[in-house]
């Protein structure tokens, strides 16, 4: 069992957990992830390790409520325990001194961007961060990102904070301003990463993305997470999760991630009906 | 045995095991055969003529004293029979169910020369089940600790065998398993209706009661490397990580929604219990028309699993003919009874999907058998212009597995062959790295439970010797 020792709400649908997992805390490197299963009937879902404290033996996870398992995690409190946590999985980020690294995080994607940015900063890079969210309330880890970045640009879809617009527009502007960038790291929803790669492609800027396909075992055994990369099959769990974004077939992955839409809806409905904390009130309009 | 008695015994026909009706069983995941009741078991065991030079023992990869345990069954000493088997085989309830006996002990059975061989597998299963179900399982006496400890990586049949053998010699054994439950392919691969998971759990529990420590959620190569295990106090390491890297066909459309590897499909249904969704959270596509590609036991397992999820049709697409199918005869027979449609001499050339990327059909080509290839089987050759489509919404690829790369990638000095399988001395399981042994599918490629166990047995013997002498 893996006890939750700290829980923090970051936005209405995003929360942060510190979980006791001493070996993983000691071993993990930026870019790696874990797979967890909450209880005996639970599914296995991958989550990025955002940070760790080897002394205290804890790892930090940031979770967005998108389906049954993440919603259930959202109901767990400090003192509750997760049945299974396995990791660290995946290859660590290839971190070196590139020069100037532009790191782009969209929504929950800022969570995995943070440990990598920290690593890049520690390796001597000048780190320029572009952080995006739908609105001000949904922006996470701003303070942490500022601590590891030399420059931070913020965009929101509705303009409630920072600049109105998308992270890709901000990135394009920096490219056009001829801001030096030796590499771009972008993590967020798949359409965002795809758009980001199209922004950097014409300029030939090396662009790394971290992919989040459906996984089961996470050790290369099942192939659920396969993608087409440079025309070949790759398993994200063992060959990734980070790839040269210009070689990833995003359209295929976007489709594959919709495999269980119907089942996800059923599971969520069962969950809100039986155990969900939400109650539906009529507003009496 | 006097010739008269032999003659009498040879008159007894082979006793079939009672089993669920095919129409009934395709609607559930319960085990197909019920097992022998005691009187049938005794009758079947009577068919053994107690050969002076029993070929069946030579045919058994772990050399079970088959005539001896059959004789104990004849005498009604069922628990003793189980213990006799356990002298050589730590997992009899498993092997009685999943061993390819028709290619091993039963193949060479003298009784089988003229009629049908003695049902050794069924009887092994009977004895093991009887012992377990009557609570007669006893923990053998464990000798005082030797002070040596061994790390076993992977809790499949090879790892469990090594662990059982070594703990009985007084060594401290720790098994590291990457998944959340021990058992390896016995848990994630072989379906419930062929090997109930409660049996695997009972076998694992038996090892734990003997003192084997099992750590789940521990992917070696990631959480700790083999070198770290050796540095952190383990005197030897056994690698039994299995064939955990599914092969795909490399044809267009293979990443469409609805195309699975057999590993993924079986893991979802068996280990994660997707057949009980939404009670269990893991989903699996319940296809209306399902095609399984391949002709081995895994293909049969996948097809029979798919049948139980309520489809209209399940096909097996195999590029050779029925005679070349590597699956066990009994499995093919069960599959036929349950209504699987076999498409022999047929090979997929591409998967076709709709605009959402969901599988709609497989385009196949008909094949004919040409000259024999390296495997001795006649090579299938496509017939030009014979392409045709089979409408399906789910396809399961069961064409074999490569070795999982996690350990070889992270272990310096460990030699692998060109396919990535670990190279060992076949007699001892010794790898190119001092103190490290290996066996099972990570060495053999896709093979069987019993051969993995045979490897485990040999490796355990060699590990014991190494721990005592320190000689490599």
């Amino acid at each position: 069992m893996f006890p939750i020792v700290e829980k923090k709400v970051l936005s209405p649908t995003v929360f942060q957990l510190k979980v006791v997992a001493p070996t993983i805390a000691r071993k993990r490197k930026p870019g790696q992830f874990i797979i967890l299963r909450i209880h005996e009937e639970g599914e296995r879902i991958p989550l990025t390790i955002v940070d760790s404290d080897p002394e205290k033996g804890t790892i930090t996870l940031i979770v967005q409520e998108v389906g049954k398992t993440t919603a259930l995690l959202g109901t767990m409190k400090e003192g509750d325990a997760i049945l299974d946590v396995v990791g660290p999985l995946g290859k660590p980020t290839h971190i070196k001194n590139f020069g100037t690294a532009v790191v782009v995080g969209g929504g929950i994607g800022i969570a995995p961007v943070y440990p990598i940015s920290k690593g890049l900063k520690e390796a001597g890079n000048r780190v320029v961060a572009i952080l995006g969210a739908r609105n001000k309330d949904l922006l996470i880890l701003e303070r942490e990102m500022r601590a590891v970045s030399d420059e931070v640009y913020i965009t929101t879809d509705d303009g409630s904070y920072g600049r109105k617009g998308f992270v890709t527009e901000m990135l394009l502007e920096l490219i056009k301003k001829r801001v030096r960038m030796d590499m771009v790291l972008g993590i967020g929803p798949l359409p965002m990463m795809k758009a980001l790669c199209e922004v950097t492609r014409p300029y030939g800027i090396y662009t790394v993305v971290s992919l989040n396909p459906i996984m089961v075992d996470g050790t290369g055994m099942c192939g659920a997470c396969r993608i087409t990369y440079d025309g070949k099959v790759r398993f994200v769990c063992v060959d990734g999760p980070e790839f040269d974004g210009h070689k990833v077939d995003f359209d295929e992955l976007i489709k594959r991630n919709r495999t269980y839409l119907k089942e996800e809806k059923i599971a969520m409905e069962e969950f809100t009906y039986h155990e969900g904390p939400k109650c539906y009130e009529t507003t009496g309009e | 045995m006097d010739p008269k008695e032999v003659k009498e015994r040879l008159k007894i026909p082979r006793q079939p095991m009672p089993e669920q009706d095919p129409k009934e069983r395709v609607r559930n995941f319960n085990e197909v055969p019920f097992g022998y009741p005691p009187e049938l078991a005794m009758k079947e065991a009577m068919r053994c003529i107690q050969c002076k030079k029993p070929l069946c023992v030579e045919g058994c990869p772990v050399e079970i004293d088959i005539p001896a345990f059959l004789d104990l069954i004849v005498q009604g000493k069922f628990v003793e029979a189980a213990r006799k088997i356990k002298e050589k085989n730590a997992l009899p309830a498993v092997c009685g169910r999943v061993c390819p006996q028709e290619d091993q002990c039963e193949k060479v059975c003298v009784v089988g020369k003229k009629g049908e061989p003695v049902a050794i597998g069924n009887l092994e299963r009977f004895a093991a089940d009887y012992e377990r179900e009557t609570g007669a399982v006893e923990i053998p006496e464990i000798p005082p600790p030797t002070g040596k400890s061994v790390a076993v990586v992977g809790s499949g049949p090879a790892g469990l065998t090594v662990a059982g053998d070594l703990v009985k010699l007084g060594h401290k054994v720790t098994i590291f398993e990457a998944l959340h439950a021990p058992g390896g392919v016995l848990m994630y691969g072989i379906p419930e209706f062929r090997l109930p998971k409660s049996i695997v759990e009972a076998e694992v529990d038996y090892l734990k009661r003997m003192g084997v420590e099992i750590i789940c959620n521990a992917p070696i190569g990631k959480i700790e490397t083999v070198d770290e295990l050796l540095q952190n106090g383990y005197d030897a390491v056994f690698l039994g990580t299995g064939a955990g890297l599914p092969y795909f066909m490399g044809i267009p459309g293979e990443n469409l929604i609805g195309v699975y590897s057999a590993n993924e499909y079986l893991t979802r249904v068996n280990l994660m219990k997707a057949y009980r969704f939404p009670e269990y959270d893991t989903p699996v596509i319940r296809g209306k028309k399902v095609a399984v590609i391949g002709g081995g036991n895994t293909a049969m397992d996948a097809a029979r699993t798919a049948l139980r999820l309520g489809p209209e049709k399940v096909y097996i697409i195999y590029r050779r003919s029925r005679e070349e199918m590597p699956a066990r005869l009994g499995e093919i027979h069960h599959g036929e009874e349950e209504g699987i449609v076999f498409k022999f001499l047929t090979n997929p050339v591409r998967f076709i999907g709709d605009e959402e990327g969901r599988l709609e059909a497989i385009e196949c080509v008909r094949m004919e058998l040409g000259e024999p290839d390296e495997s001795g089987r006649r090579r299938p050759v496509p017939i030009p212009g014979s392409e045709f489509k089979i409408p399906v919404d789910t396809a399961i690829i069961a064409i074999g597995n490569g070795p999982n790369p996690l350990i070889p990638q992270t272990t310096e000095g460990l030699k692998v062959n060109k396919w990535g399988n670990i190279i060992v001395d076949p007699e001892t399981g010794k790898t190119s790295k001092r103190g490290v042994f290996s066996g099972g599918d990570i060495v053999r490629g896709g093979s069987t439970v019993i051969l993995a166990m045979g490897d485990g047995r040999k490796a355990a013997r060699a590990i014991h010797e190494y721990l005592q002498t320190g000689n490599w």
Side-chain angles (χ1 to χ4, degrees), chain A residues 2 23-24 27 32 37 39-44 68-69 84-91 214 216-217 219-224 226-228 235 238 252 255-256 258-260 263 266-267 270, chain B residues 178-180 188 217-219 222-225 228 244-246 248 254-257 259-261 263-264 267-268 272 277-285 355-358 401 404-406 409:
Chain A
F2 299 80
T23 327
I24 302 174
K27 284 285 173 162
Q32 291 187 299
R37 189 176 73 130
H39 55 71
E40 211 40 63
E41 290 80 31
E43 62 181 337
R44 294 168 63 98
K68 180 192 166 172
T69 300
D84 298 296
V85 177
V86 57
L89 301 170
K91 288 187 176 159
I214 294 168
V216 184
D217 68 294
T219 59
M221 188 271 283
C222 84
R226 65 192 188 276
I227 57 160
T228 301
F235 290 1
V238 287
E252 180 184 270
K255 284 178 184 165
R256 282 183 66 79
R258 291 189 191 133
T259 301
Y260 300 107
E263 289 80 2
I266 294 170
E270 287 268 316
Chain B
L179 286 169
H180 56 257
Y188 74 74
N217 298 315
K222 287 288 173 191
I223 196 155
E224 269 184 296
T225 62
E228 283 168 324
L245 186 82
F248 288 93
E254 207 155 14
N255 293 354
L256 287 167
I257 298 172
V259 182
Y260 287 103
S261 75
N263 278 3
E264 180 186 353
T267 301
R268 282 182 179 274
M272 306 308 297
F277 177 88
E279 181 197 349
Y280 281 74
D281 291 338
T282 304
V284 70
I285 296 174
E355 67 273 17
E356 281 180 32
R358 290 184 187 266
N401 286 289
N404 190 287
L406 280 190
Q409 269 173 11

Side-chain angles (χ1 to χ4, degrees), chain B residues 450-463:
Chain B
I450 189 71
L451 289 176
M453 291 178 60
D455 289 353
R457 159 105 343 121
K458 283 181 188 165
R461 223 177 274 154
I463 291 169

Side-chain angles (χ1 to χ4, degrees), chain B residues 39-59:
Chain B
E39 54 288 359
L40 269 192
M42 287 165 82
K43 195 168 177 190
E44 178 61 31
M46 277 284 280
R47 298 182 62 235
C48 172
I49 54 171
Q50 297 289 324
C51 303
K52 277 216 185 71
K53 202 171 153 268
L55 298 177
C56 52
V57 180
E58 289 170 31

Side-chain angles (χ1 to χ4, degrees), chain A residues 6-124:
Chain A
E6 196 187 299
K7 184 180 175 184
K8 224 165 49 183
V9 174
L10 302 185
S11 86
T13 56
V14 177
F15 55 93
Q16 175 178 306
L17 299 175
K18 280 192 181 164
V19 178
V20 180
T23 327
I24 302 174
R26 210 172 58 236
K27 284 285 173 162
R28 73 98 200 179
K29 293 199 173 83
Q32 291 187 299
F33 63 95
I34 54 107
I35 284 184
L36 63 77
R37 189 176 73 130
I38 300 176
H39 55 71
E40 211 40 63
E41 290 80 31
E43 62 181 337
R44 294 168 63 98
I45 60 159
L47 289 171
T48 303
I49 305 166
V50 176
D51 208 344
S52 69
D53 186 336
E55 306 268 294
K56 291 193 182 128
T58 59
I59 55 171
T60 304
L61 308 172
I62 291 183
V63 187
Q64 180 170 33
E65 291 183 24
V66 289
K68 180 192 166 172
T69 300
T70 46
L72 179 60
L73 257 183
T75 66
M76 294 176 79
K77 299 179 287 289
E78 288 168 12
D80 290 346
I82 299 166
L83 181 59
D84 298 296
V85 177
V86 57
L89 301 170
K91 288 187 176 159
T93 309
H94 176 60
I95 287 180
K96 63 168 189 182
N97 191 346
F98 292 93
T100 298
V102 176
V103 294
V104 187
I108 185 79
I110 300 171
V113 162
Y114 168 66
I116 302 168
S117 306
K118 196 172 157 192
L120 287 167
K121 184 71 199 163
E122 281 162 9

